Amino acid sequence: MGPSPDLREVPGGWRERLDRWAREIRSVFRRHPWALAVIADRRVMGPNEIAWFEAALAAVAPTGLPDRTVVDVVLLLNAYVRGAAQGSVAQARAERRTGVGADAWAAANAKILARVVDDDRYPVLAGILAAGALTPEDAAHEFEFGLTRVLDSIAALIDERARLSGRG
């Protein structure tokens, strides 16, 4: 995996630090797709992986969340980034294998779906297809959308815990 980023150098608070961590680990997975399979297996973490985990934990710890919740937050973010990276790697593999890019595949798939989706059986999907809302999005847009939602949910959790504990 390589050395973890020094998040202490990142201006801002937990959100900016986790944002940087997520982008850095995604970059690692994109450069080394084999790592996605390795980390999914049951194994003991090595020193670099422990350092990445520590960096993320240290970014969240000052929020005042209980220790178990700090771990849960980091695991949630890691699961999101890992899933996004797996999708990106799978798309690249499929493009190399077939010669069909993601945009062309998505457009062809949407046309096929539009022909086979029954309006009565799948009314929501039929409406989305008719509106042209099932369009290809680039991986960067999808990652940004998801990362923002995950960080927003963590912010809501931190705010709720602070309010319930009388700190907010």
Side-chain angles (χ1 to χ4, degrees):
M1 293 185 76
S4 68
D6 185 358
L7 300 179
R8 296 170 301 182
E9 304 295 322
V10 176
W14 69 266
R15 187 179 185 116
E16 293 79 12
R17 291 180 177 130
L18 285 186
D19 183 277
R20 170 75 61 83
W21 184 90
R23 292 171 193 286
E24 294 282 339
I25 196 74
R26 177 178 180 240
S27 178
V28 168
F29 291 145
R30 292 174 80 183
R31 285 191 317 271
H32 307 290
W34 55 266
L36 290 163
V38 171
I39 65 170
D41 284 341
R42 189 183 285 178
R43 84 250 172 279
V44 175
M45 289 189 289
N48 284 338
E49 191 175 0
I50 291 170
W52 279 87
F53 193 38
E54 173 68 18
L57 292 169
V60 181
T63 64
L65 291 173
D67 289 347
R68 180 65 237 184
T69 306
V70 169
V71 171
D72 289 340
V73 162
V74 171
L75 295 179
L76 168 68
L77 180 59
N78 188 51
Y80 169 71
V81 175
R82 200 171 61 239
Q86 285 171 325
S88 179
V89 166
Q91 284 287 349
R93 188 178 308 122
E95 187 169 341
R96 283 191 307 274
R97 188 180 68 248
T98 66
V100 177
D103 289 348
W105 164 251
N109 191 45
K111 287 179 185 176
I112 293 168
L113 280 174
R115 284 195 305 244
V116 300
V117 168
D118 178 347
D119 291 1
D120 294 328
R121 187 168 180 191
Y122 306 107
V124 176
L125 179 56
I128 288 171
L129 288 165
L134 189 61
T135 58
E137 294 288 349
D138 63 40
H141 167 81
E142 291 174 359
F143 181 75
E144 292 298 326
F145 179 85
L147 180 59
T148 299
R149 302 296 79 77
V150 171
L151 294 174
D152 287 349
S153 71
I154 294 167
L157 174 66
I158 292 167
D159 291 347
E160 176 188 23
R161 292 289 173 97
R163 184 180 52 77
L164 292 175
S165 70
R167 292 182 291 121

